[in-house]
Structure formats: C-alpha cells, structure tokens
Short mmCIF file of all heavy atoms in Angstrom, two decimals:
data_model
loop_
_atom_site.label_atom_id
_atom_site.label_comp_id
_atom_site.label_asym_id
_atom_site.label_seq_id
_atom_site.Cartn_x
_atom_site.Cartn_y
_atom_site.Cartn_z
N CYS A 1 98.61 104.07 150.62
CA CYS A 1 99.73 103.16 150.75
C CYS A 1 99.37 101.95 151.60
O CYS A 1 99.80 100.84 151.32
CB CYS A 1 100.93 103.87 151.36
SG CYS A 1 101.47 105.34 150.47
N ALA A 2 98.61 102.22 152.68
CA ALA A 2 98.30 101.17 153.65
C ALA A 2 97.49 100.03 153.04
O ALA A 2 97.59 98.89 153.50
CB ALA A 2 97.57 101.75 154.84
N GLY A 3 96.72 100.31 152.00
CA GLY A 3 95.92 99.26 151.39
C GLY A 3 96.76 98.10 150.88
O GLY A 3 96.35 96.95 150.96
N CYS A 4 97.94 98.40 150.39
CA CYS A 4 98.84 97.35 149.90
C CYS A 4 100.00 97.09 150.87
O CYS A 4 100.32 95.95 151.17
CB CYS A 4 99.41 97.74 148.54
SG CYS A 4 98.19 97.81 147.22
N HIS A 5 100.62 98.16 151.33
CA HIS A 5 101.84 98.04 152.13
C HIS A 5 101.56 97.93 153.63
O HIS A 5 102.50 97.83 154.40
CB HIS A 5 102.77 99.21 151.83
CG HIS A 5 103.18 99.28 150.40
ND1 HIS A 5 104.11 98.43 149.83
CD2 HIS A 5 102.76 100.09 149.39
CE1 HIS A 5 104.26 98.72 148.55
NE2 HIS A 5 103.44 99.72 148.25
N GLN A 6 100.28 97.95 154.01
CA GLN A 6 99.82 97.83 155.39
C GLN A 6 100.13 99.10 156.19
O GLN A 6 101.06 99.84 155.88
CB GLN A 6 100.42 96.60 156.08
CG GLN A 6 100.20 95.31 155.32
CD GLN A 6 98.73 95.02 155.08
OE1 GLN A 6 97.97 94.90 156.01
NE2 GLN A 6 98.33 94.94 153.82
N ALA A 7 99.33 99.33 157.21
CA ALA A 7 99.49 100.52 158.05
C ALA A 7 100.87 100.56 158.72
O ALA A 7 101.43 101.62 158.96
CB ALA A 7 98.39 100.58 159.10
N SER A 8 101.41 99.39 158.99
CA SER A 8 102.73 99.30 159.63
C SER A 8 103.87 99.55 158.66
O SER A 8 105.01 99.75 159.08
CB SER A 8 102.90 97.91 160.24
OG SER A 8 102.95 96.93 159.21
N GLY A 9 103.58 99.49 157.35
CA GLY A 9 104.63 99.60 156.35
C GLY A 9 105.37 98.30 156.13
O GLY A 9 106.35 98.25 155.38
N ALA A 10 104.90 97.22 156.75
CA ALA A 10 105.59 95.93 156.64
C ALA A 10 105.29 95.19 155.35
O ALA A 10 105.94 94.20 155.04
CB ALA A 10 105.21 95.03 157.83
N GLY A 11 104.30 95.64 154.58
CA GLY A 11 103.95 94.98 153.33
C GLY A 11 103.26 93.65 153.58
O GLY A 11 102.86 93.33 154.70
N VAL A 12 103.11 92.88 152.51
CA VAL A 12 102.52 91.54 152.58
C VAL A 12 103.54 90.61 151.93
O VAL A 12 103.86 90.77 150.74
CB VAL A 12 101.16 91.47 151.84
CG1 VAL A 12 100.62 90.06 151.82
CG2 VAL A 12 100.16 92.44 152.47
N ALA A 13 104.02 89.67 152.69
CA ALA A 13 105.10 88.78 152.23
C ALA A 13 104.81 88.19 150.85
O ALA A 13 103.74 87.63 150.62
CB ALA A 13 105.31 87.65 153.23
N GLY A 14 105.75 88.38 149.95
CA GLY A 14 105.65 87.82 148.61
C GLY A 14 104.71 88.55 147.67
O GLY A 14 104.66 88.23 146.49
N VAL A 15 103.96 89.52 148.18
CA VAL A 15 102.98 90.21 147.34
C VAL A 15 103.27 91.70 147.23
O VAL A 15 103.45 92.23 146.14
CB VAL A 15 101.55 90.01 147.89
CG1 VAL A 15 100.52 90.69 147.00
CG2 VAL A 15 101.23 88.54 148.05
N PHE A 16 103.30 92.39 148.38
CA PHE A 16 103.58 93.83 148.41
C PHE A 16 104.80 94.06 149.28
O PHE A 16 104.82 93.66 150.45
CB PHE A 16 102.40 94.62 148.97
CG PHE A 16 101.14 94.45 148.17
CD1 PHE A 16 100.04 93.80 148.69
CD2 PHE A 16 101.05 94.95 146.88
CE1 PHE A 16 98.88 93.63 147.96
CE2 PHE A 16 99.90 94.79 146.13
CZ PHE A 16 98.81 94.13 146.67
N PRO A 17 105.83 94.70 148.75
CA PRO A 17 107.07 94.86 149.51
C PRO A 17 106.89 95.81 150.69
O PRO A 17 106.02 96.69 150.68
CB PRO A 17 108.05 95.44 148.49
CG PRO A 17 107.21 96.06 147.44
CD PRO A 17 105.93 95.28 147.40
N PRO A 18 107.74 95.63 151.70
CA PRO A 18 107.69 96.54 152.84
C PRO A 18 108.22 97.92 152.44
O PRO A 18 109.09 98.05 151.58
CB PRO A 18 108.61 95.87 153.86
CG PRO A 18 109.56 95.07 153.05
CD PRO A 18 108.78 94.62 151.85
N LEU A 19 107.68 98.92 153.10
CA LEU A 19 108.21 100.28 152.97
C LEU A 19 109.12 100.58 154.15
O LEU A 19 110.12 101.28 154.00
CB LEU A 19 107.07 101.30 152.92
CG LEU A 19 106.07 101.13 151.77
CD1 LEU A 19 104.98 102.18 151.88
CD2 LEU A 19 106.76 101.19 150.43
N ALA A 20 108.77 100.06 155.32
CA ALA A 20 109.55 100.29 156.53
C ALA A 20 110.95 99.72 156.36
O ALA A 20 111.13 98.56 155.97
CB ALA A 20 108.85 99.63 157.72
N ASN A 21 111.94 100.56 156.61
CA ASN A 21 113.36 100.18 156.53
C ASN A 21 113.81 99.75 155.14
O ASN A 21 114.86 99.14 155.00
CB ASN A 21 113.68 99.07 157.55
CG ASN A 21 113.37 99.50 158.96
OD1 ASN A 21 113.74 100.58 159.37
ND2 ASN A 21 112.66 98.66 159.68
N SER A 22 113.04 100.06 154.12
CA SER A 22 113.40 99.67 152.76
C SER A 22 114.32 100.70 152.12
O SER A 22 114.01 101.90 152.12
CB SER A 22 112.14 99.55 151.90
OG SER A 22 112.51 99.41 150.53
N PRO A 23 115.45 100.28 151.56
CA PRO A 23 116.32 101.22 150.86
C PRO A 23 115.63 101.87 149.66
O PRO A 23 116.03 102.94 149.22
CB PRO A 23 117.52 100.39 150.44
CG PRO A 23 117.21 98.98 150.75
CD PRO A 23 115.98 98.93 151.60
N TRP A 24 114.59 101.23 149.13
CA TRP A 24 113.83 101.86 148.04
C TRP A 24 113.16 103.14 148.52
O TRP A 24 112.89 104.04 147.74
CB TRP A 24 112.79 100.89 147.49
CG TRP A 24 113.38 99.81 146.66
CD1 TRP A 24 113.83 98.60 147.11
CD2 TRP A 24 113.62 99.83 145.26
NE1 TRP A 24 114.32 97.86 146.05
CE2 TRP A 24 114.20 98.61 144.90
CE3 TRP A 24 113.39 100.78 144.26
CZ2 TRP A 24 114.56 98.30 143.61
CZ3 TRP A 24 113.75 100.46 142.97
CH2 TRP A 24 114.33 99.24 142.65
N VAL A 25 112.92 103.23 149.81
CA VAL A 25 112.27 104.40 150.40
C VAL A 25 113.29 105.33 151.05
O VAL A 25 113.22 106.54 150.90
CB VAL A 25 111.22 103.96 151.46
CG1 VAL A 25 110.63 105.16 152.18
CG2 VAL A 25 110.13 103.13 150.81
N THR A 26 114.25 104.75 151.75
CA THR A 26 115.15 105.56 152.57
C THR A 26 116.44 106.00 151.90
O THR A 26 117.05 106.98 152.33
CB THR A 26 115.53 104.78 153.85
OG1 THR A 26 116.21 103.57 153.49
CG2 THR A 26 114.29 104.44 154.67
N ALA A 27 116.87 105.33 150.84
CA ALA A 27 118.19 105.61 150.27
C ALA A 27 118.24 106.88 149.42
O ALA A 27 119.29 107.49 149.31
CB ALA A 27 118.67 104.42 149.44
N SER A 28 117.11 107.26 148.84
CA SER A 28 117.14 108.39 147.92
C SER A 28 115.77 109.06 147.85
O SER A 28 114.80 108.42 147.45
CB SER A 28 117.55 107.92 146.53
OG SER A 28 117.33 108.92 145.57
N ASP A 29 115.72 110.33 148.23
CA ASP A 29 114.47 111.08 148.09
C ASP A 29 114.02 111.13 146.64
O ASP A 29 112.83 111.01 146.35
CB ASP A 29 114.64 112.52 148.60
CG ASP A 29 114.90 112.59 150.09
OD1 ASP A 29 114.60 111.60 150.80
OD2 ASP A 29 115.40 113.63 150.54
N THR A 30 114.97 111.28 145.74
CA THR A 30 114.64 111.37 144.32
C THR A 30 114.00 110.08 143.83
O THR A 30 112.99 110.12 143.13
CB THR A 30 115.91 111.68 143.49
OG1 THR A 30 116.48 112.90 143.98
CG2 THR A 30 115.58 111.82 142.02
N ARG A 31 114.57 108.95 144.18
CA ARG A 31 114.02 107.68 143.74
C ARG A 31 112.61 107.48 144.28
O ARG A 31 111.72 107.05 143.56
CB ARG A 31 114.91 106.52 144.17
CG ARG A 31 114.31 105.18 143.77
CD ARG A 31 115.22 103.99 143.92
NE ARG A 31 115.83 103.91 145.21
CZ ARG A 31 116.81 103.07 145.50
NH1 ARG A 31 117.28 102.25 144.58
NH2 ARG A 31 117.34 103.03 146.70
N LEU A 32 112.40 107.79 145.55
CA LEU A 32 111.08 107.65 146.15
C LEU A 32 110.05 108.49 145.40
O LEU A 32 108.98 108.00 145.04
CB LEU A 32 111.11 108.04 147.63
CG LEU A 32 109.77 108.06 148.33
CD1 LEU A 32 109.10 106.69 148.28
CD2 LEU A 32 109.94 108.54 149.76
N VAL A 33 110.37 109.74 145.13
CA VAL A 33 109.43 110.62 144.42
C VAL A 33 109.18 110.11 143.01
O VAL A 33 108.04 110.12 142.53
CB VAL A 33 109.93 112.07 144.43
CG1 VAL A 33 109.09 112.95 143.51
CG2 VAL A 33 109.90 112.62 145.86
N GLN A 34 110.21 109.62 142.33
CA GLN A 34 110.03 109.09 140.98
C GLN A 34 109.10 107.87 140.98
O GLN A 34 108.25 107.72 140.10
CB GLN A 34 111.37 108.73 140.35
CG GLN A 34 112.24 109.94 140.04
CD GLN A 34 111.59 110.88 139.05
OE1 GLN A 34 111.07 110.48 138.02
NE2 GLN A 34 111.57 112.16 139.39
N ILE A 35 109.25 107.01 141.99
CA ILE A 35 108.36 105.85 142.09
C ILE A 35 106.93 106.31 142.35
O ILE A 35 105.99 105.81 141.73
CB ILE A 35 108.84 104.88 143.18
CG1 ILE A 35 110.15 104.22 142.74
CG2 ILE A 35 107.77 103.82 143.46
CD1 ILE A 35 110.83 103.41 143.83
N LEU A 36 106.76 107.28 143.24
CA LEU A 36 105.41 107.79 143.51
C LEU A 36 104.79 108.40 142.26
O LEU A 36 103.61 108.18 141.96
CB LEU A 36 105.44 108.82 144.64
CG LEU A 36 105.76 108.27 146.03
CD1 LEU A 36 105.99 109.41 147.01
CD2 LEU A 36 104.67 107.34 146.51
N LEU A 37 105.56 109.17 141.53
CA LEU A 37 105.03 109.86 140.35
C LEU A 37 104.77 108.91 139.17
O LEU A 37 103.75 109.04 138.49
CB LEU A 37 105.99 110.95 139.89
CG LEU A 37 106.09 112.18 140.78
CD1 LEU A 37 107.20 113.09 140.27
CD2 LEU A 37 104.77 112.91 140.86
N HIS A 38 105.70 107.99 138.94
CA HIS A 38 105.65 107.19 137.72
C HIS A 38 105.33 105.72 137.94
O HIS A 38 105.18 104.97 136.97
CB HIS A 38 106.97 107.32 136.96
CG HIS A 38 107.33 108.74 136.67
ND1 HIS A 38 106.63 109.52 135.77
CD2 HIS A 38 108.29 109.54 137.20
CE1 HIS A 38 107.16 110.73 135.75
NE2 HIS A 38 108.15 110.77 136.61
N GLY A 39 105.26 105.29 139.20
CA GLY A 39 105.01 103.89 139.49
C GLY A 39 106.26 103.06 139.22
O GLY A 39 107.32 103.58 138.86
N ILE A 40 106.10 101.77 139.42
CA ILE A 40 107.21 100.84 139.17
C ILE A 40 106.61 99.47 138.91
O ILE A 40 105.58 99.11 139.47
CB ILE A 40 108.21 100.82 140.35
CG1 ILE A 40 109.48 100.08 139.99
CG2 ILE A 40 107.56 100.29 141.61
CD1 ILE A 40 110.60 100.27 141.00
N GLN A 41 107.24 98.74 138.00
CA GLN A 41 106.76 97.37 137.74
C GLN A 41 107.93 96.48 137.42
O GLN A 41 109.00 96.94 137.06
CB GLN A 41 105.74 97.34 136.61
CG GLN A 41 106.29 97.68 135.24
CD GLN A 41 105.20 97.62 134.19
OE1 GLN A 41 104.03 97.82 134.47
NE2 GLN A 41 105.59 97.33 132.98
N GLY A 42 107.69 95.19 137.59
CA GLY A 42 108.72 94.21 137.31
C GLY A 42 109.42 93.79 138.58
O GLY A 42 109.12 94.28 139.67
N PRO A 43 110.36 92.88 138.46
CA PRO A 43 111.02 92.36 139.65
C PRO A 43 111.92 93.39 140.32
O PRO A 43 112.68 94.10 139.66
CB PRO A 43 111.83 91.18 139.12
CG PRO A 43 111.94 91.37 137.66
CD PRO A 43 110.81 92.24 137.24
N ILE A 44 111.76 93.48 141.64
CA ILE A 44 112.66 94.31 142.45
C ILE A 44 113.01 93.52 143.70
O ILE A 44 112.22 92.71 144.18
CB ILE A 44 112.05 95.68 142.84
CG1 ILE A 44 110.78 95.51 143.67
CG2 ILE A 44 111.77 96.53 141.61
CD1 ILE A 44 110.28 96.80 144.29
N ASP A 45 114.19 93.73 144.21
CA ASP A 45 114.63 93.09 145.44
C ASP A 45 114.48 94.09 146.58
O ASP A 45 114.99 95.21 146.49
CB ASP A 45 116.10 92.66 145.33
CG ASP A 45 116.56 91.96 146.58
OD1 ASP A 45 117.02 92.67 147.51
OD2 ASP A 45 116.43 90.73 146.66
N VAL A 46 113.74 93.69 147.59
CA VAL A 46 113.55 94.54 148.77
C VAL A 46 113.91 93.72 149.99
O VAL A 46 113.26 92.70 150.29
CB VAL A 46 112.09 95.04 148.88
CG1 VAL A 46 111.92 95.93 150.10
CG2 VAL A 46 111.67 95.78 147.62
N LEU A 47 114.99 94.11 150.64
CA LEU A 47 115.46 93.45 151.85
C LEU A 47 115.62 91.94 151.66
O LEU A 47 115.24 91.14 152.50
CB LEU A 47 114.50 93.76 153.01
CG LEU A 47 114.32 95.25 153.33
CD1 LEU A 47 113.25 95.44 154.39
CD2 LEU A 47 115.64 95.88 153.76
N GLY A 48 116.18 91.57 150.50
CA GLY A 48 116.51 90.19 150.24
C GLY A 48 115.38 89.34 149.67
O GLY A 48 115.57 88.14 149.46
N VAL A 49 114.23 89.93 149.41
CA VAL A 49 113.09 89.21 148.84
C VAL A 49 112.75 89.85 147.51
O VAL A 49 112.70 91.08 147.39
CB VAL A 49 111.86 89.26 149.78
CG1 VAL A 49 110.67 88.55 149.16
CG2 VAL A 49 112.20 88.66 151.14
N THR A 50 112.52 89.03 146.49
CA THR A 50 112.15 89.56 145.17
C THR A 50 110.64 89.65 145.07
O THR A 50 109.92 88.70 145.37
CB THR A 50 112.69 88.65 144.05
OG1 THR A 50 114.13 88.62 144.15
CG2 THR A 50 112.31 89.19 142.68
N TYR A 51 110.18 90.82 144.64
CA TYR A 51 108.76 91.07 144.39
C TYR A 51 108.62 91.36 142.91
O TYR A 51 109.48 92.01 142.31
CB TYR A 51 108.27 92.28 145.20
CG TYR A 51 108.31 92.03 146.68
CD1 TYR A 51 109.48 92.22 147.42
CD2 TYR A 51 107.19 91.60 147.36
CE1 TYR A 51 109.52 91.98 148.78
CE2 TYR A 51 107.21 91.36 148.72
CZ TYR A 51 108.38 91.56 149.42
OH TYR A 51 108.41 91.31 150.77
N ASN A 52 107.57 90.89 142.30
CA ASN A 52 107.35 91.12 140.88
C ASN A 52 105.91 91.58 140.70
O ASN A 52 105.00 90.78 140.51
CB ASN A 52 107.61 89.86 140.06
CG ASN A 52 107.63 90.13 138.58
OD1 ASN A 52 107.60 91.28 138.15
ND2 ASN A 52 107.67 89.09 137.80
N GLY A 53 105.72 92.86 140.80
CA GLY A 53 104.37 93.39 140.74
C GLY A 53 104.32 94.72 140.03
O GLY A 53 105.21 95.08 139.26
N LEU A 54 103.28 95.44 140.34
CA LEU A 54 103.03 96.74 139.72
C LEU A 54 102.54 97.71 140.77
O LEU A 54 101.58 97.42 141.48
CB LEU A 54 101.98 96.61 138.62
CG LEU A 54 101.39 97.90 138.07
CD1 LEU A 54 102.44 98.65 137.27
CD2 LEU A 54 100.17 97.62 137.23
N MET A 55 103.22 98.82 140.90
CA MET A 55 102.72 99.91 141.71
C MET A 55 102.29 100.99 140.73
O MET A 55 103.08 101.43 139.89
CB MET A 55 103.77 100.45 142.65
CG MET A 55 103.20 101.60 143.48
SD MET A 55 104.38 102.27 144.63
CE MET A 55 103.76 103.95 144.70
N PRO A 56 101.05 101.44 140.83
CA PRO A 56 100.57 102.44 139.89
C PRO A 56 101.23 103.80 140.11
O PRO A 56 101.72 104.10 141.20
CB PRO A 56 99.07 102.52 140.16
CG PRO A 56 98.93 102.06 141.56
CD PRO A 56 100.02 101.05 141.79
N ALA A 57 101.23 104.60 139.08
CA ALA A 57 101.72 105.98 139.17
C ALA A 57 100.69 106.84 139.88
O ALA A 57 99.49 106.64 139.74
CB ALA A 57 101.96 106.53 137.76
N TRP A 58 101.18 107.79 140.65
CA TRP A 58 100.31 108.72 141.37
C TRP A 58 100.54 110.15 140.90
O TRP A 58 100.29 111.11 141.64
CB TRP A 58 100.53 108.59 142.88
CG TRP A 58 100.10 107.27 143.39
CD1 TRP A 58 100.88 106.18 143.63
CD2 TRP A 58 98.75 106.85 143.66
NE1 TRP A 58 100.12 105.13 144.05
CE2 TRP A 58 98.80 105.51 144.09
CE3 TRP A 58 97.52 107.50 143.58
CZ2 TRP A 58 97.66 104.81 144.43
CZ3 TRP A 58 96.39 106.77 143.94
CH2 TRP A 58 96.47 105.45 144.36
N LYS A 59 100.98 110.32 139.66
CA LYS A 59 101.31 111.67 139.17
C LYS A 59 100.10 112.58 139.08
O LYS A 59 100.25 113.78 138.92
CB LYS A 59 102.03 111.59 137.83
CG LYS A 59 101.24 110.95 136.72
CD LYS A 59 102.10 110.81 135.49
CE LYS A 59 101.42 109.88 134.50
NZ LYS A 59 102.31 109.50 133.44
N SER A 60 98.90 112.04 139.24
CA SER A 60 97.72 112.88 139.22
C SER A 60 97.52 113.62 140.55
O SER A 60 96.73 114.56 140.62
CB SER A 60 96.47 112.05 138.92
OG SER A 60 96.28 111.07 139.92
N LEU A 61 98.26 113.22 141.59
CA LEU A 61 98.15 113.91 142.87
C LEU A 61 98.86 115.25 142.81
O LEU A 61 99.90 115.38 142.15
CB LEU A 61 98.79 113.08 143.98
CG LEU A 61 98.11 111.77 144.35
CD1 LEU A 61 98.93 111.06 145.43
CD2 LEU A 61 96.70 112.01 144.84
N PRO A 62 98.35 116.25 143.52
CA PRO A 62 99.06 117.54 143.59
C PRO A 62 100.41 117.37 144.30
O PRO A 62 100.60 116.44 145.09
CB PRO A 62 98.14 118.41 144.44
CG PRO A 62 96.84 117.70 144.55
CD PRO A 62 97.10 116.26 144.24
N ASP A 63 101.34 118.26 144.01
CA ASP A 63 102.67 118.20 144.60
C ASP A 63 102.62 118.10 146.11
O ASP A 63 103.41 117.37 146.72
CB ASP A 63 103.50 119.43 144.20
CG ASP A 63 103.89 119.44 142.74
OD1 ASP A 63 103.72 118.40 142.06
OD2 ASP A 63 104.33 120.50 142.27
N GLU A 64 101.71 118.82 146.74
CA GLU A 64 101.61 118.82 148.20
C GLU A 64 101.28 117.42 148.72
O GLU A 64 101.79 117.00 149.76
CB GLU A 64 100.55 119.81 148.68
CG GLU A 64 100.85 121.25 148.36
CD GLU A 64 100.52 121.64 146.91
OE1 GLU A 64 99.76 120.92 146.23
OE2 GLU A 64 101.06 122.67 146.48
N GLU A 65 100.43 116.69 148.00
CA GLU A 65 100.07 115.35 148.45
C GLU A 65 101.21 114.36 148.21
O GLU A 65 101.44 113.46 149.03
CB GLU A 65 98.78 114.88 147.77
CG GLU A 65 97.57 115.63 148.28
CD GLU A 65 96.26 115.11 147.70
OE1 GLU A 65 96.13 113.88 147.50
OE2 GLU A 65 95.38 115.94 147.46
N ILE A 66 101.91 114.50 147.10
CA ILE A 66 103.09 113.66 146.86
C ILE A 66 104.10 113.90 147.98
O ILE A 66 104.67 112.94 148.53
CB ILE A 66 103.73 113.95 145.47
CG1 ILE A 66 102.81 113.50 144.35
CG2 ILE A 66 105.11 113.31 145.35
CD1 ILE A 66 102.65 112.01 144.20
N ALA A 67 104.32 115.15 148.36
CA ALA A 67 105.26 115.47 149.42
C ALA A 67 104.78 114.87 150.75
O ALA A 67 105.59 114.34 151.53
CB ALA A 67 105.41 116.98 149.56
N ALA A 68 103.49 114.91 151.01
CA ALA A 68 102.96 114.35 152.25
C ALA A 68 103.16 112.84 152.29
O ALA A 68 103.52 112.28 153.33
CB ALA A 68 101.48 114.70 152.39
N VAL A 69 102.94 112.17 151.18
CA VAL A 69 103.13 110.72 151.12
C VAL A 69 104.61 110.39 151.33
O VAL A 69 104.94 109.45 152.06
CB VAL A 69 102.63 110.14 149.78
CG1 VAL A 69 103.07 108.70 149.60
CG2 VAL A 69 101.12 110.25 149.69
N ALA A 70 105.47 111.14 150.72
CA ALA A 70 106.90 110.87 150.79
C ALA A 70 107.48 111.10 152.18
O ALA A 70 108.50 110.51 152.54
CB ALA A 70 107.67 111.71 149.78
N THR A 71 106.83 111.93 152.96
CA THR A 71 107.35 112.22 154.29
C THR A 71 106.57 111.52 155.35
O THR A 71 106.82 111.55 156.49
CB THR A 71 107.37 113.75 154.58
OG1 THR A 71 106.06 114.27 154.45
CG2 THR A 71 108.30 114.45 153.62
#
C-alpha cells in the first residue's frame, strides 16, 4: 500500500488518494475488502478531491493477508 498511498496513508495529491481518514476505508469493512479483492478504477471522490486512476485487484493474496492489510 505504501508504494502508492505512502507510509503515512496520506496518498499523493492528485495521483493516489489518501487512505488515512478516508470514508472509502473507514465507512464500510465490506467495501474495503471488495476494493482490496477486486480493485477499483475510474473517478472517485476522496475527501473532496477527485482521483481517476486504477488500483489493481489483490485477490491472489491469501485471506489472512487481505485481513492483515484491511486492519
């Protein structure tokens, strides 16, 4: 995650959205896991900024690793 979203979770302005304090991460465990498993692409609004990119799917990771990333 840190490679794109930075170790702080702050992301890179205009390129990679922040994870820290993001409703995409905090609002729903189900949504977070679905994004981790299936990725996401296209425009999304994160904390008032629109990002239009691609996050790859990580469904090849074992369940334990998906759970570790999510927590």
Side-chain angles (χ1 to χ4, degrees):
C1 304
C4 293
H5 300 284
Q6 307 302 300
S8 66
V12 175
V15 182
F16 300 113
L19 301 178
N21 301 313
S22 169
W24 286 89
V25 175
T26 61
S28 168
D29 294 341
T30 302
R31 177 170 51 190
L32 174 60
V33 171
Q34 292 299 313
I35 292 171
L36 291 171
L37 289 174
H38 305 291
I40 191 168
Q41 67 180 28
I44 61 169
D45 181 272
V46 181
L47 302 174
V49 178
T50 299
Y51 294 84
N52 190 9
L54 167 69
M55 180 179 151
W58 294 99
K59 61 185 166 192
S60 62
L61 293 177
D63 290 348
E64 296 80 18
E65 289 185 37
I66 292 290
V69 169
T71 58

